[in-house]
Amino acid sequence: MNDRKQHVIKKAHQLFIEKGFQATSIQDILDFSGISKGTFYKYFSSKSELLIAIYKTTFKQLQKERNDLLIGKSPSDIEIFIKQVEMQMISNRKNKLIALYEEVMSTNDADLKHYIRFTRLRSLRWMFSRFIDIFGEKNKPYLLDCAIMFQGIMQHNLQYNRLATDSNEKISSVVRYSVSRLVKLVEEVAEADEQLHPPELLEKWLPGLQKNNHELIDRFYKIVNPMRNCIPKHFQDKNAQEKYHELLDFIQEEIMHTRAPRKFLIESALQTLQNNPADIWKKELLQLNQIINAFFQQLEENEEEEH
Amino acid sequence: MNDRKQHVIKKAHQLFIEKGFQATSIQDILDFSGISKGTFYKYFSSKSELLIAIYKTTFKQLQKERNDLLIGKSPSDIEIFIKQVEMQMISNRKNKLIALYEEVMSTNDADLKHYIRFTRLRSLRWMFSRFIDIFGEKNKPYLLDCAIMFQGIMQHNLQYNRLATDSNEKISSVVRYSVSRLVKLVEEVAEADEQLHPPELLEKWLPGLQKNNHELIDRFYKIVNPMRNCIPKHFQDKNAQEKYHELLDFIQEEIMHTRAPRKFLIESALQTLQNNPADIWKKELLQLNQIINAFFQQLEENEEEEH
DNA sequence: AAAGTGTTTAAACAGGGGGTATAAAATATG
DNA sequence: CATATTTTATACCCCCTGTTTAAACACTTT
């Protein structure tokens, strides 16, 4: 993306954090970022679209950090989840995302509203899938409810905590407190066998999300991380271990952070992984292949849009 | 209050419900309620103040209904609490209060924001005091946290429930589900002995609320209702029972719904209550006297403001 | 019934916002 | 150097909130 455009996004975000979305006029943004009105409307078709661009960049950042916390760790480890939530809450507060969400819901802009709704549902879906990691498939019927309630608990606890003590240091303890409640809540609701929202609703709310970019990245991590974790178990040779780590690193780096990933190199790496002497990862590599294909397909579609 | 003004408030609320606060222009309100701009600005100094007027009337209504549900019932009965919450949630949805709250928080109007914050804290305080009724003084240290979390749980459950099924019929089951979780939550958090927010915070957040009108009315009910409930126990004579009910009814009616309550009549009624042969209600009547005095004092202050 | 009082109306006005169009200036590309 | 593209500055449109003003209206007092 254009450097200058990125600069405008940054400056505008700064203004939105300080003054709010509505209270910041386009003129303010022009003055603060030192561009002209013409350029602004060349980059963004409206103020709303600028806001969406801000969301997208901050979300990308958050997603990367969130997934990096999982590398080499067990997805069922609740301490990792706590770290992830904590990181997310700090990011939310720093970027005033919640306030901006709420502000947006009161605009007339249907697209913007739709995007926010989508974002929140995606966040809910992430939490749901993490809950399955942590609390197991057997609790699945209750975990959508738990995700909904946990988000409510977190949000309200943080909100009033902010009113009580205006420091950011306490976020950690609020998260720990809320997660403690969550653990008992899951137990309790499974015991009582009460369900308010069946998890199938998520697919109704987010149809065709499998093809979405962010979703693909999350699924990618979900497969690659366990593969990483079981390398030491299957290969005693230090060199072999390093080799497979390098291969996975390479694929991840190429997919995540390269504008134009080199398809053949990735395929070659996948082939090498497949030929491992321990003959493991058959299922994983199949899924990985699917994801990477979907990823390239999506990349092509994006290019078509640009021309 | 002026009939015409009340009419404008009603029509404007209707528009706000349909289109939202920001999306409704003052011109829309003028057209829809059939008044001119001059009149509008005679009634309300701004659109924000009109919104506050809307809040005040709907809150008054809600408070009345909420307290009426308690008459003759035990405050510790959780079924009554469920009915109260249900009623509140239906009112919230019908009047789109939550959406309007959120919308307002994104305006620049400091007064409006302040008022909303005050309203939410008052609602939290009400819930906290009801929790003490229900779960007992012994759980008090944890009940502010529980009130905060319960509000979060309620709000999120309702929000997603609305997304799933667009009907209002389900509100009842969502409330029941949420209250079930609440009961276990209180148990659990008391057992674990974990506290996030000490209840004293409420007094810091809502200083001098004892003098506030709404608060006085709530405290009034809190004292009168138990008095009502113990009439049959202390007086066997049907006539005596009816007499004391009538006296309490009279005071309540005079305080609640009369523009200019007749002070001497109320004092006389209080005196008669005090002379009851069973010689009960000493403490209650003392408190009642305090409240009524505060009430009249506030009434005088309001009159001074008007002149 | 007439005069005087306050209330309501209609209309014009100011100031500011988002978004569009266009001609001139600056910058990049061959 | 010449051409093509991007960027700028500015004027313009329409809509919004909030103020002001003079005229029309209603209602009380005499």
Side-chain angles (χ1 to χ4, degrees):
Chain A
M1 196 185 290
N2 191 341
D3 240 24
R4 204 171 157 82
K5 187 171 172 180
Q6 206 59 45
H7 172 250
V8 176
I9 289 177
K10 205 174 152 188
K11 288 292 194 177
H13 192 178
Q14 204 177 324
L15 281 178
F16 290 166
I17 289 172
E18 284 165 17
K19 304 176 35 174
F21 176 66
Q22 320 233 25
T24 304
S25 74
I26 290 184
Q27 194 55 51
D28 292 338
I29 299 169
L30 304 184
D31 296 343
F32 193 56
S33 61
I35 60 163
S36 75
K37 216 166 186 179
T39 313
F40 181 91
Y41 279 100
K42 192 168 165 56
Y43 291 155
F44 315 101
S45 67
S46 69
K47 205 167 84 166
S48 304
E49 205 170 277
L50 163 61
L51 186 58
I52 291 183
I54 291 175
Y55 283 141
K56 284 192 172 158
T57 57
T58 57
F59 176 73
K60 216 166 190 168
Q61 174 73 14
L62 182 142
Q63 189 183 35
K64 188 188 170 336
E65 291 178 18
R66 180 210 265 169
N67 281 323
D68 283 350
L69 282 172
L70 263 176
I71 291 179
K73 302 288 167 56
S74 163
S76 63
D77 182 354
I78 202 164
E79 282 298 319
I80 306 299
F81 174 71
I82 291 178
K83 283 213 186 80
Q84 286 181 316
V85 173
E86 211 177 301
M87 188 272 291
Q88 220 162 139
M89 296 302 138
I90 290 172
S91 159
N92 276 359
R93 180 163 296 182
K94 195 183 74 196
N95 298 312
K96 281 223 182 167
L97 288 192
I98 304 286
L100 286 175
Y101 285 153
E102 286 187 356
E103 196 163 348
V104 159
M105 289 315 282
S106 68
T107 15
N108 267 340
D109 194 315
D111 283 355
L112 200 46
K113 272 185 183 170
H114 194 266
Y115 180 77
I116 296 297
R117 209 194 313 275
F118 170 70
T119 302
R120 307 199 92 148
L121 282 171
R122 202 173 48 194
S123 162
L124 186 69
R125 200 200 173 291
W126 176 83
M127 198 151 276
F128 172 69
S129 82
R130 291 291 287 120
F131 281 7
I132 294 179
D133 293 342
I134 296 167
F135 301 108
E137 281 280 338
K138 70 175 189 299
N139 288 316
K140 191 171 173 180
Y142 318 105
L143 291 182
L144 177 56
D145 286 328
C146 290
I148 290 171
M149 290 189 280
F150 178 68
Q151 288 200 337
I153 288 173
M154 264 307 342
Q155 196 178 314
H156 274 65
N157 274 340
L158 272 178
Q159 188 183 317
Y160 286 101
N161 182 70
R162 190 171 172 72
L163 215 62
T165 72
D166 220 350
S167 78
N168 276 16
E169 295 158 31
K170 289 283 176 180
I171 286 187
S172 167
S173 58
V174 177
V175 172
R176 287 207 113 78
Y177 177 91
S178 306
V179 171
S180 294
R181 303 290 82 72
L182 165 70
V183 172
K184 298 293 181 177
L185 176 67
V186 174
E187 273 177 31
E188 187 262 313
V189 84
E191 172 74 22
D193 189 28
E194 286 189 67
Q195 188 193 54
L196 204 54
H197 304 98
E200 294 76 38
L201 275 174
L202 271 176
E203 270 124 57
K204 190 183 143 203
W205 289 335
L206 291 168
L209 192 61
Q210 289 75 13
K211 283 193 165 185
N212 183 277
N213 189 0
H214 305 305
E215 188 62 15
L216 282 176
I217 291 180
D218 272 344
R219 283 174 64 205
F220 183 89
Y221 274 108
K222 271 244 154 83
I223 294 170
V224 166
N225 283 332
M227 287 173 74
R228 270 217 176 75
N229 296 345
C230 71
I231 286 178
K233 203 164 58 193
H234 287 91
F235 306 99
Q236 278 70 36
D237 182 17
K238 283 278 164 199
N239 276 333
Q241 286 187 11
E242 199 174 326
K243 169 182 162 190
Y244 290 117
H245 267 300
E246 261 179 20
L247 282 166
L248 288 174
D249 280 345
F250 169 77
I251 297 175
Q252 181 170 329
E253 197 58 27
E254 196 75 10
I255 288 281
M256 299 296 181
H257 308 300
T258 313
R259 198 166 309 273
R262 289 157 289 185
K263 196 171 181 177
F264 298 115
L265 282 175
I266 293 176
E267 276 173 2
S268 149
L270 283 173
Q271 196 54 246
T272 312
L273 284 168
Q274 195 135 30
N275 295 338
N276 73 80
D279 200 29
I280 52 173
W281 297 333
K282 270 188 185 150
K283 207 183 75 198
E284 285 85 351
L285 285 170
L286 213 67
Q287 293 176 320
L288 219 52
N289 238 316
Q290 283 177 357
I291 292 174
I292 289 172
N293 281 335
F295 190 82
F296 276 105
Q297 192 185 334
Q298 198 201 323
L299 222 62
E300 280 171 31
E301 283 167 15
N302 287 349
E303 272 171 27
E304 278 166 25
E305 276 173 28
E306 279 169 22
H307 300 317
Chain B
M1 197 185 290
N2 192 341
D3 243 21
R4 203 172 158 82
K5 186 170 173 181
Q6 206 59 42
H7 173 251
V8 176
I9 289 178
K10 205 175 153 187
K11 287 292 195 178
H13 191 180
Q14 206 175 325
L15 282 179
F16 289 166
I17 289 172
E18 283 165 17
K19 305 177 33 175
F21 176 65
Q22 320 235 23
T24 304
S25 75
I26 290 184
Q27 193 56 53
D28 292 337
I29 299 169
L30 304 184
D31 297 342
F32 193 57
S33 60
I35 60 162
S36 74
K37 215 166 185 178
T39 314
F40 181 91
Y41 279 100
K42 191 168 167 56
Y43 291 154
F44 316 101
S45 68
S46 69
K47 207 167 80 165
S48 303
E49 205 170 279
L50 162 61
L51 187 58
I52 290 184
I54 291 175
Y55 283 141
K56 284 192 172 158
T57 57
T58 57
F59 176 72
K60 216 166 190 168
Q61 174 74 14
L62 181 143
Q63 190 183 33
K64 188 187 172 334
E65 290 178 18
R66 179 211 265 169
N67 281 324
D68 282 350
L69 283 172
L70 262 176
I71 292 179
K73 303 287 169 55
S74 163
S76 62
D77 182 355
I78 203 164
E79 282 298 320
I80 305 299
F81 174 70
I82 291 178
K83 284 213 185 81
Q84 285 181 316
V85 172
E86 212 176 301
M87 189 271 293
Q88 220 162 140
M89 295 303 138
I90 290 172
S91 159
N92 276 0
R93 180 164 295 183
K94 194 183 74 194
N95 298 312
K96 282 225 182 163
L97 289 193
I98 304 287
L100 286 176
Y101 286 154
E102 286 187 356
E103 197 162 346
V104 159
M105 289 315 282
S106 68
T107 11
N108 266 341
D109 195 314
D111 283 354
L112 200 46
K113 273 185 183 170
H114 193 265
Y115 182 77
I116 296 296
R117 207 194 313 276
F118 170 69
T119 301
R120 307 199 92 149
L121 282 172
R122 203 173 47 194
S123 161
L124 186 69
R125 199 199 174 290
W126 176 82
M127 198 151 277
F128 172 68
S129 81
R130 291 292 286 120
F131 281 7
I132 293 179
D133 294 341
I134 297 167
F135 300 109
E137 279 281 340
K138 70 177 190 300
N139 288 315
K140 191 171 173 181
Y142 318 104
L143 291 181
L144 176 57
D145 286 328
C146 290
I148 290 170
M149 289 189 281
F150 178 68
Q151 288 200 338
I153 288 172
M154 263 311 337
Q155 196 178 315
H156 274 65
N157 274 340
L158 272 178
Q159 187 184 318
Y160 285 101
N161 181 70
R162 191 173 171 73
L163 214 64
T165 72
D166 220 349
S167 78
N168 276 16
E169 296 158 29
K170 288 283 177 180
I171 286 187
S172 165
S173 58
V174 177
V175 173
R176 288 208 113 78
Y177 177 92
S178 305
V179 171
S180 295
R181 303 292 82 72
L182 165 69
V183 173
K184 298 292 182 178
L185 177 67
V186 174
E187 273 177 30
E188 187 262 313
V189 84
E191 172 73 21
D193 189 26
E194 286 189 67
Q195 188 193 56
L196 204 53
H197 303 98
E200 294 75 39
L201 274 174
L202 271 176
E203 271 125 56
K204 189 182 143 204
W205 288 335
L206 291 168
L209 193 61
Q210 289 75 13
K211 284 194 165 185
N212 184 279
N213 190 1
H214 304 307
E215 188 61 18
L216 282 176
I217 291 180
D218 272 344
R219 283 174 63 204
F220 183 89
Y221 274 108
K222 271 245 154 82
I223 293 169
V224 166
N225 282 333
M227 286 173 75
R228 269 215 178 75
N229 295 347
C230 69
I231 286 179
K233 204 164 56 193
H234 286 91
F235 306 99
Q236 277 71 34
D237 181 18
K238 281 280 165 200
N239 276 332
Q241 287 186 13
E242 200 174 325
K243 168 183 162 190
Y244 291 117
H245 267 301
E246 262 180 17
L247 282 166
L248 288 174
D249 279 346
F250 168 76
I251 297 175
Q252 180 170 331
E253 197 60 27
E254 198 73 12
I255 288 281
M256 300 297 182
H257 307 302
T258 312
R259 197 165 308 272
R262 290 159 288 184
K263 196 170 181 179
F264 298 117
L265 282 176
I266 293 176
E267 277 173 1
S268 149
L270 284 173
Q271 198 52 249
T272 313
L273 285 168
Q274 194 134 30
N275 295 337
N276 73 79
D279 200 30
I280 51 173
W281 297 335
K282 271 190 185 146
K283 207 183 74 197
E284 285 86 351
L285 286 169
L286 213 69
Q287 292 176 320
L288 218 53
N289 237 317
Q290 282 177 358
I291 292 175
I292 290 173
N293 281 335
F295 190 82
F296 275 105
Q297 192 185 333
Q298 197 200 325
L299 222 63
E300 280 171 32
E301 283 166 16
N302 286 350
E303 273 171 26
E304 279 166 25
E305 276 174 29
E306 279 169 22
H307 301 316

